Coordinates of all heavy atoms in Angstrom, one line a residue:
M250 N -18.3 0.2 -10.4 CA -16.9 0.4 -10.5 C -16.5 0.8 -12.0 O -17.5 1.0 -12.7 CB -16.2 -0.9 -10.3 CG -16.4 -1.5 -9.0 SD -15.2 -1.2 -7.7 CE -15.9 -2.0 -6.4
G251 N -15.3 1.1 -12.2 CA -14.9 1.5 -13.6 C -14.6 3.0 -13.6 O -14.4 3.6 -14.6
G252 N -14.5 3.6 -12.4 CA -14.1 5.1 -12.4 C -12.6 5.2 -12.4 O -11.9 4.2 -12.6
K253 N -12.1 6.4 -12.0 CA -10.8 6.7 -12.0 C -10.1 5.9 -10.8 O -10.7 5.7 -9.7 CB -10.5 8.1 -11.8 CG -9.0 8.4 -11.8 CD -8.9 10.0 -11.6 CE -7.4 10.3 -11.4 NZ -7.2 11.7 -10.8
T254 N -8.9 5.3 -11.1 CA -8.1 4.5 -10.1 C -6.8 5.1 -9.8 O -6.2 5.9 -10.5 CB -8.0 3.0 -10.4 OG1 -7.1 3.1 -11.6 CG2 -9.4 2.4 -10.6
T255 N -6.3 4.9 -8.6 CA -5.0 5.4 -8.1 C -4.2 4.1 -7.6 O -4.8 3.3 -6.8 CB -5.1 6.3 -6.8 OG1 -5.9 7.5 -7.3 CG2 -3.7 6.8 -6.4
E256 N -3.0 3.9 -8.0 CA -2.2 3.0 -7.6 C -1.6 3.1 -6.2 O -1.1 4.3 -6.0 CB -1.1 2.6 -8.6 CG -1.6 2.2 -10.0 CD -0.5 2.1 -11.0 OE1 0.5 2.9 -10.9 OE2 -0.7 1.5 -12.0
V257 N -1.6 2.2 -5.3 CA -1.0 2.4 -4.1 C 0.4 1.7 -4.2 O 0.5 0.5 -4.5 CB -1.8 1.7 -2.9 CG1 -1.0 1.8 -1.6 CG2 -3.1 2.0 -2.8
R258 N 1.4 2.6 -4.1 CA 2.8 2.0 -4.4 C 3.7 2.2 -3.1 O 3.4 3.0 -2.3 CB 3.5 2.9 -5.6 CG 2.9 2.6 -6.9 CD 3.6 3.3 -8.0 NE 3.1 3.1 -9.3 CZ 3.4 2.2 -10.2 NH1 4.3 1.3 -9.8 NH2 2.8 2.0 -11.3
L259 N 4.7 1.3 -3.1 CA 5.6 1.3 -2.0 C 6.5 2.6 -2.2 O 7.2 2.6 -3.2 CB 6.4 0.1 -1.8 CG 7.4 0.0 -0.7 CD1 6.7 0.1 0.7 CD2 8.3 -1.2 -0.8
P260 N 6.4 3.5 -1.2 CA 7.2 4.7 -1.4 C 8.7 4.5 -1.1 O 9.1 3.5 -0.5 CB 6.6 5.7 -0.3 CG 6.0 4.8 0.7 CD 5.6 3.6 0.0
D261 N 9.5 5.4 -1.5 CA 10.9 5.4 -1.3 C 11.1 5.5 0.3 O 10.8 6.5 0.8 CB 11.7 6.5 -2.0 CG 13.2 6.4 -1.8 OD1 13.7 5.7 -1.0 OD2 13.8 7.1 -2.6
L262 N 11.7 4.6 0.9 CA 11.8 4.5 2.3 C 13.2 4.8 2.8 O 13.6 4.5 3.9 CB 11.3 3.4 3.1 CG 9.8 2.9 2.7 CD1 9.5 1.5 3.2 CD2 9.0 4.0 3.4
G263 N 14.0 5.4 1.9 CA 15.4 5.7 2.2 C 16.3 4.8 1.6 O 16.1 4.3 0.4
D264 N 17.3 4.2 2.3 CA 18.4 3.3 1.8 C 18.1 1.8 1.7 O 18.9 1.0 1.9 CB 19.7 3.5 2.5 CG 19.7 3.3 3.9 OD1 18.5 3.1 4.5 OD2 20.7 3.2 4.5
I265 N 16.8 1.5 1.4 CA 16.4 0.1 1.3 C 15.8 -0.1 -0.2 O 15.5 0.7 -0.9 CB 15.3 -0.3 2.4 CG1 14.1 0.6 2.2 CG2 15.8 -0.1 3.8 CD1 12.8 -0.2 1.7
E266 N 15.9 -1.5 -0.5 CA 15.5 -1.8 -1.8 C 14.1 -2.5 -1.8 O 13.4 -2.4 -2.7 CB 16.5 -2.8 -2.5 CG 17.7 -2.2 -2.8 CD 18.7 -3.2 -3.4 OE1 18.2 -4.2 -4.0 OE2 20.0 -3.1 -3.3
F267 N 13.7 -3.1 -0.7 CA 12.4 -3.8 -0.6 C 11.9 -3.9 0.8 O 12.6 -3.4 1.7 CB 12.5 -5.2 -1.1 CG 13.4 -6.1 -0.2 CD1 12.7 -6.9 0.8 CD2 14.7 -6.2 -0.3 CE1 13.5 -7.7 1.6 CE2 15.4 -7.0 0.6 CZ 14.8 -7.8 1.5
A268 N 10.6 -4.2 1.1 CA 10.0 -4.2 2.3 C 9.1 -5.5 2.2 O 8.7 -5.9 1.1 CB 9.2 -3.0 2.6
V269 N 8.6 -5.9 3.3 CA 7.7 -7.1 3.4 C 6.4 -6.5 3.9 O 6.3 -5.8 4.9 CB 8.2 -8.1 4.4 CG1 7.2 -9.2 4.6 CG2 9.6 -8.7 3.9
V270 N 5.3 -6.9 3.3 CA 4.0 -6.6 3.7 C 3.6 -7.3 4.9 O 3.6 -8.6 5.0 CB 2.9 -6.9 2.6 CG1 1.5 -6.5 3.1 CG2 3.2 -6.1 1.3
V271 N 3.4 -6.6 6.0 CA 3.2 -7.2 7.4 C 1.6 -7.4 7.4 O 1.1 -8.5 7.8 CB 3.5 -6.2 8.5 CG1 3.2 -6.9 9.9 CG2 5.1 -6.1 8.4
A272 N 0.8 -6.5 7.2 CA -0.6 -6.6 7.4 C -1.4 -5.4 6.6 O -0.9 -4.2 6.5 CB -1.0 -6.4 8.8
W273 N -2.5 -5.8 6.0 CA -3.3 -4.8 5.4 C -4.3 -4.3 6.5 O -4.9 -5.1 7.2 CB -4.2 -5.4 4.2 CG -3.4 -5.4 2.9 CD1 -2.5 -6.5 2.5 CD2 -3.2 -4.4 2.0 NE1 -1.9 -6.1 1.4 CE2 -2.3 -4.8 1.1 CE3 -3.9 -3.2 1.9 CZ2 -2.0 -4.1 -0.1 CZ3 -3.5 -2.4 0.8 CH2 -2.6 -2.8 -0.1
L274 N -4.4 -3.1 6.6 CA -5.2 -2.5 7.8 C -6.6 -2.2 7.2 O -7.5 -1.8 8.1 CB -4.6 -1.1 8.3 CG -3.1 -1.4 8.7 CD1 -2.4 -0.1 9.0 CD2 -3.1 -2.5 9.8
C275 N -6.8 -2.3 5.9 CA -8.2 -2.2 5.4 C -8.4 -3.4 4.4 O -7.4 -3.9 3.8 CB -8.3 -1.0 4.6 SG -8.2 0.6 5.6
L276 N -9.6 -3.8 4.2 CA -9.9 -5.0 3.3 C -10.6 -4.3 2.0 O -11.0 -3.3 2.0 CB -11.0 -5.9 3.9 CG -10.6 -6.5 5.3 CD1 -11.7 -7.4 5.8 CD2 -9.3 -7.6 5.0
P277 N -10.4 -5.1 0.9 CA -11.0 -4.7 -0.3 C -12.5 -4.4 0.0 O -13.2 -5.1 0.7 CB -10.8 -5.9 -1.3 CG -9.6 -6.5 -0.8 CD -9.7 -6.4 0.7
G278 N -12.9 -3.2 -0.7 CA -14.3 -2.8 -0.4 C -14.4 -1.7 0.6 O -15.4 -1.1 0.8
S279 N -13.4 -1.5 1.5 CA -13.3 -0.4 2.5 C -13.2 0.9 1.9 O -12.5 1.2 0.9 CB -12.0 -0.6 3.4 OG -12.0 -1.9 4.0
L280 N -14.0 1.8 2.5 CA -14.0 3.2 2.1 C -13.0 3.9 2.9 O -12.7 3.7 4.1 CB -15.5 3.8 2.5 CG -15.7 5.2 2.1 CD1 -15.7 5.4 0.6 CD2 -17.1 5.7 2.6
L281 N -12.1 4.6 2.1 CA -11.0 5.3 2.6 C -10.9 6.8 2.4 O -11.6 7.3 1.5 CB -9.7 4.8 1.8 CG -9.5 3.3 1.7 CD1 -8.4 3.0 0.7 CD2 -9.1 2.8 3.1
K282 N -10.4 7.4 3.3 CA -10.0 8.9 3.1 C -8.6 9.1 2.8 O -7.7 8.3 3.4 CB -10.4 9.7 4.3 CG -11.8 9.8 4.6 CD -12.4 10.6 5.8 CE -13.8 10.6 5.9 NZ -14.2 11.2 7.1
E283 N -8.1 10.0 2.1 CA -6.7 10.3 1.8 C -6.0 10.4 3.1 O -6.5 11.0 4.0 CB -6.6 11.5 0.9 CG -5.1 11.8 0.5 CD -5.0 13.0 -0.3 OE1 -6.0 13.5 -0.8 OE2 -3.9 13.4 -0.6
G284 N -4.9 9.6 3.2 CA -4.0 9.7 4.4 C -4.4 8.7 5.4 O -3.6 8.4 6.4
D285 N -5.5 7.9 5.2 CA -5.9 6.8 6.2 C -4.7 5.7 6.2 O -4.1 5.4 5.1 CB -7.1 6.1 5.8 CG -8.5 6.8 6.1 OD1 -8.3 7.9 6.8 OD2 -9.6 6.4 5.8
D286 N -4.3 5.1 7.3 CA -3.5 4.0 7.4 C -4.0 2.9 6.5 O -5.2 2.5 6.7 CB -3.2 3.6 8.8 CG -2.5 4.5 9.6 OD1 -1.9 5.6 9.0 OD2 -2.6 4.3 10.9
L287 N -3.2 2.3 5.5 CA -3.7 1.3 4.7 C -3.0 0.1 4.8 O -3.6 -1.0 4.9 CB -3.6 2.0 3.2 CG -4.1 1.1 2.2 CD1 -5.6 0.8 2.4 CD2 -4.0 1.8 0.8
V288 N -1.7 0.0 4.7 CA -1.0 -1.2 4.8 C 0.3 -1.0 5.6 O 1.1 0.0 5.4 CB -0.7 -1.7 3.3 CG1 0.1 -0.7 2.5 CG2 0.0 -3.1 3.4
E289 N 0.7 -2.0 6.3 CA 1.9 -1.9 7.1 C 3.0 -2.7 6.5 O 2.8 -3.9 6.1 CB 1.7 -2.4 8.6 CG 2.8 -2.4 9.6 CD 2.4 -2.9 10.9 OE1 1.2 -3.3 11.1 OE2 3.2 -2.8 11.8
V290 N 4.3 -2.2 6.4 CA 5.3 -2.9 5.7 C 6.5 -2.7 6.7 O 6.5 -2.0 7.6 CB 5.7 -2.2 4.4 CG1 4.6 -2.4 3.4 CG2 6.1 -0.8 4.5
E291 N 7.4 -3.8 6.5 CA 8.5 -3.9 7.4 C 9.8 -4.1 6.6 O 9.8 -4.7 5.6 CB 8.4 -5.1 8.3 CG 9.5 -5.3 9.2 CD 9.2 -6.5 10.1 OE1 9.2 -7.6 9.7 OE2 9.1 -6.4 11.4
T292 N 10.8 -3.1 7.0 CA 12.0 -3.2 6.3 C 13.1 -3.8 7.4 O 12.7 -4.2 8.6 CB 12.7 -1.8 6.0 OG1 12.9 -1.1 7.2 CG2 11.5 -1.0 5.2
E293 N 14.4 -3.9 7.1 CA 15.3 -4.4 7.9 C 15.5 -3.5 9.2 O 15.8 -4.0 10.3 CB 16.7 -4.5 7.3 CG 16.9 -5.5 6.2 CD 18.2 -5.5 5.6 OE1 19.1 -4.6 5.9 OE2 18.4 -6.3 4.6
K294 N 15.1 -2.3 9.1 CA 15.3 -1.3 10.1 C 14.1 -0.9 11.0 O 14.2 -0.5 12.1 CB 15.9 0.0 9.5 CG 17.2 -0.3 8.9 CD 17.8 0.9 8.4 CE 19.2 0.8 7.7 NZ 19.7 2.0 7.1
T295 N 12.9 -0.9 10.3 CA 11.7 -0.3 10.9 C 10.5 -0.8 10.3 O 10.5 -1.6 9.2 CB 11.7 1.1 10.8 OG1 10.7 1.7 11.7 CG2 11.5 1.7 9.5
T296 N 9.4 -0.6 11.0 CA 8.0 -0.9 10.4 C 7.5 0.5 10.0 O 7.6 1.5 10.7 CB 7.2 -1.6 11.5 OG1 7.8 -2.8 11.8 CG2 5.7 -1.9 10.9
F297 N 6.7 0.5 8.9 CA 6.1 1.8 8.3 C 4.8 1.5 7.7 O 4.5 0.4 7.3 CB 7.1 2.1 7.1 CG 6.7 3.4 6.5 CD1 7.1 4.7 7.0 CD2 6.0 3.4 5.3 CE1 6.7 5.8 6.3 CE2 5.7 4.5 4.6 CZ 6.0 5.7 5.1
V298 N 3.9 2.5 8.0 CA 2.5 2.4 7.5 C 2.3 3.3 6.3 O 2.7 4.3 6.2 CB 1.4 2.9 8.6 CG1 0.1 2.9 8.0 CG2 1.5 1.9 9.8
V299 N 1.9 2.7 5.1 CA 1.7 3.3 3.9 C 0.2 3.9 4.0 O -0.6 3.1 4.2 CB 1.8 2.5 2.7 CG1 1.6 3.2 1.4 CG2 3.3 1.9 2.6
P300 N 0.1 5.2 3.7 CA -1.3 5.7 3.8 C -2.0 5.7 2.5 O -1.4 5.4 1.5 CB -1.0 7.2 4.1 CG 0.4 7.5 3.5 CD 1.1 6.2 3.7
A301 N -3.3 5.8 2.6 CA -4.1 5.8 1.2 C -3.7 7.0 0.5 O -3.7 8.2 1.0 CB -5.7 5.8 1.6
P302 N -3.5 6.9 -0.8 CA -3.0 8.1 -1.6 C -4.0 9.0 -2.0 O -3.9 10.1 -2.4 CB -2.4 7.4 -2.8 CG -3.1 6.1 -3.0 CD -3.4 5.6 -1.5
S303 N -5.3 8.5 -1.9 CA -6.5 9.3 -2.2 C -7.8 8.7 -1.5 O -7.7 7.6 -1.1 CB -6.7 9.4 -3.8 OG -6.9 8.0 -4.2
S304 N -8.8 9.5 -1.4 CA -10.1 9.0 -0.9 C -10.7 8.1 -2.0 O -10.6 8.4 -3.1 CB -10.9 10.1 -0.6 OG -10.4 11.0 0.4
G305 N -11.4 7.1 -1.7 CA -12.1 6.2 -2.4 C -12.3 4.9 -1.7 O -12.4 4.8 -0.6
V306 N -12.3 3.7 -2.6 CA -12.6 2.4 -2.1 C -11.5 1.5 -2.5 O -11.0 1.6 -3.7 CB -13.9 1.8 -2.8 CG1 -14.0 0.4 -2.4 CG2 -15.1 2.7 -2.3
L307 N -10.9 0.8 -1.5 CA -9.9 -0.2 -1.9 C -10.5 -1.3 -2.7 O -11.3 -2.0 -2.3 CB -9.3 -0.8 -0.6 CG -8.1 -1.8 -0.8 CD1 -6.9 -1.1 -1.5 CD2 -7.7 -2.4 0.6
T308 N -10.1 -1.4 -4.0 CA -10.6 -2.3 -4.8 C -9.8 -3.6 -5.1 O -10.2 -4.7 -5.5 CB -11.0 -1.7 -6.2 OG1 -9.8 -1.3 -6.8 CG2 -12.0 -0.6 -6.1
E309 N -8.5 -3.6 -4.8 CA -7.6 -4.6 -5.2 C -6.4 -4.6 -4.2 O -5.8 -3.5 -4.0 CB -7.3 -4.6 -6.6 CG -6.4 -5.8 -7.1 CD -6.0 -5.6 -8.6 OE1 -6.7 -4.8 -9.3 OE2 -5.2 -6.4 -9.0
V310 N -6.1 -5.8 -3.8 CA -4.7 -6.0 -3.1 C -3.9 -6.7 -4.0 O -4.2 -7.9 -4.3 CB -5.0 -6.8 -1.7 CG1 -3.7 -7.1 -1.0 CG2 -5.8 -5.8 -0.8
R311 N -2.7 -6.2 -4.4 CA -1.8 -6.9 -5.3 C -0.7 -7.5 -4.5 O 0.0 -8.4 -5.1 CB -1.3 -5.9 -6.4 CG -2.4 -5.5 -7.4 CD -1.8 -5.1 -8.6 NE -2.8 -4.6 -9.5 CZ -2.6 -3.9 -10.7 NH1 -1.4 -3.6 -10.9 NH2 -3.6 -3.6 -11.4
A312 N -0.3 -7.1 -3.3 CA 0.8 -7.6 -2.6 C 0.2 -8.1 -1.2 O -0.2 -7.5 -0.4 CB 1.8 -6.5 -2.3
P313 N 0.1 -9.5 -1.2 CA -0.6 -10.0 -0.1 C 0.4 -10.0 1.2 O 1.5 -9.7 1.0 CB -0.8 -11.4 -0.4 CG 0.2 -11.8 -1.4 CD 0.3 -10.4 -2.2
E314 N -0.2 -10.3 2.4 CA 0.6 -10.2 3.6 C 1.8 -11.2 3.4 O 1.5 -12.3 2.9 CB -0.2 -10.6 4.7 CG -1.2 -9.5 5.1 CD -2.1 -9.7 6.2 OE1 -2.0 -10.7 6.9 OE2 -3.0 -8.8 6.5
G315 N 3.0 -10.9 3.7 CA 4.1 -11.8 3.6 C 4.9 -11.6 2.3 O 6.0 -12.0 2.2
A316 N 4.3 -10.8 1.3 CA 4.9 -10.6 0.1 C 6.2 -9.6 0.3 O 6.1 -8.6 1.1 CB 4.0 -10.0 -0.9
S317 N 7.2 -9.8 -0.4 CA 8.3 -8.9 -0.5 C 8.2 -8.0 -1.6 O 7.9 -8.5 -2.8 CB 9.6 -9.7 -0.6 OG 10.7 -8.9 -0.7
V318 N 8.2 -6.7 -1.6 CA 7.9 -5.8 -2.6 C 9.1 -4.7 -2.8 O 9.6 -4.4 -1.7 CB 6.7 -5.0 -2.4 CG1 5.5 -6.0 -2.6 CG2 6.5 -4.4 -1.0
R319 N 9.3 -4.2 -4.0 CA 10.4 -3.4 -4.1 C 9.8 -2.0 -4.1 O 8.7 -1.8 -4.3 CB 11.1 -3.7 -5.5 CG 11.8 -5.0 -5.6 CD 12.8 -5.0 -6.8 NE 13.5 -6.1 -6.6 CZ 14.7 -6.3 -5.9 NH1 15.0 -5.2 -5.1 NH2 15.5 -7.4 -5.9
I320 N 10.7 -1.1 -3.9 CA 10.3 0.4 -3.9 C 9.6 0.8 -5.3 O 10.1 0.4 -6.4 CB 11.6 1.3 -3.8 CG1 12.2 1.1 -2.4 CG2 11.2 2.8 -3.9 CD1 11.4 1.2 -1.2
G321 N 8.5 1.4 -5.2 CA 7.7 1.8 -6.4 C 6.8 0.7 -6.8 O 5.9 1.0 -7.8
E322 N 6.8 -0.5 -6.4 CA 5.9 -1.6 -6.8 C 4.5 -1.3 -6.3 O 4.3 -0.8 -5.2 CB 6.6 -3.0 -6.2 CG 5.8 -4.2 -6.9 CD 6.6 -5.5 -6.5 OE1 7.9 -5.3 -6.3 OE2 6.0 -6.4 -6.4
I323 N 3.6 -1.8 -7.1 CA 2.1 -1.5 -6.7 C 1.8 -2.6 -5.6 O 1.9 -3.8 -5.7 CB 1.2 -1.8 -7.9 CG1 1.6 -0.8 -9.0 CG2 -0.2 -1.7 -7.5 CD1 0.9 -0.9 -10.4
L324 N 1.2 -1.9 -4.5 CA 0.7 -2.8 -3.4 C -0.7 -3.0 -3.6 O -1.3 -4.1 -3.2 CB 0.8 -2.0 -2.1 CG 2.3 -1.6 -1.7 CD1 2.3 -0.8 -0.6 CD2 3.1 -3.0 -1.4
G325 N -1.6 -2.0 -4.1 CA -3.0 -2.2 -4.3 C -3.6 -1.1 -5.1 O -2.9 -0.3 -5.6
I326 N -4.9 -1.2 -5.4 CA -5.6 -0.2 -6.2 C -6.7 0.4 -5.4 O -7.5 -0.3 -4.8 CB -6.2 -0.9 -7.4 CG1 -5.1 -1.6 -8.2 CG2 -6.9 0.2 -8.3 CD1 -4.1 -0.6 -8.9
V327 N -6.8 1.8 -5.5 CA -8.1 2.5 -4.9 C -8.8 3.1 -6.0 O -8.2 3.8 -6.9 CB -7.4 3.6 -4.0 CG1 -8.7 4.5 -3.5 CG2 -6.7 3.0 -2.7
E328 N -10.1 2.9 -6.0 CA -11.0 3.6 -7.0 C -11.4 4.9 -6.3 O -11.9 4.9 -5.2 CB -12.2 2.7 -7.3 CG -13.1 3.5 -8.3 CD -14.2 2.5 -8.8 OE1 -14.0 1.4 -9.0 OE2 -15.3 3.1 -9.1
V329 N -11.1 6.0 -7.0 CA -11.2 7.3 -6.4 C -12.8 7.8 -6.5 O -13.5 7.4 -7.4 CB -10.4 8.4 -7.3 CG1 -10.6 9.7 -6.7 CG2 -8.9 7.9 -7.3
N330 N -13.1 8.4 -5.4 CA -14.5 9.0 -5.3 C -14.6 10.2 -6.0 O -13.8 11.0 -6.0 CB -15.0 9.2 -3.8 CG -15.2 7.9 -3.0 OD1 -15.2 6.8 -3.7 ND2 -15.5 7.9 -1.7

């Protein structure tokens, strides 16, 4: 480890301020490709899947399942390949 990292952030989902992490679809250590389904979040209106921002390895989950996160907040960290 120790390479370049990318932060997985909760994207702007419209007129909401926060979402709740429903489930991580990958575990730390998982090999990812850019665009892979990574984490499912829920707002008052819908459920949304946040994709992996880059190819690499999920090294850290910062927002566990059940956590309430604001737009732009870091959900996890991917070490880029």
Side-chain angles (χ1 to χ4, degrees):
M250 306 261 175
K253 181 181 173 194
T254 60
T255 300
E256 296 169 337
V257 180
R258 293 184 178 267
L259 182 63
D261 185 349
L262 301 173
D264 61 348
I265 60 113
E266 293 182 26
F267 70 93
V269 175
V270 176
V271 175
W273 279 90
L274 306 175
C275 297
L276 298 174
S279 297
L280 186 59
L281 306 170
K282 291 185 180 173
E283 183 175 351
D285 282 354
D286 291 348
L287 186 56
V288 59
E289 184 177 2
V290 297
E291 182 176 60
T292 69
E293 292 177 358
K294 299 178 182 178
T295 189
T296 301
F297 180 82
V298 175
V299 178
S303 60
S304 296
V306 176
L307 180 64
T308 57
E309 185 178 348
V310 169
R311 290 205 182 163
E314 292 176 5
S317 180
V318 292
R319 294 197 170 280
I320 299 301
E322 197 169 329
I323 297 172
L324 300 170
I326 303 292
V327 173
E328 184 170 326
V329 180
N330 286 356

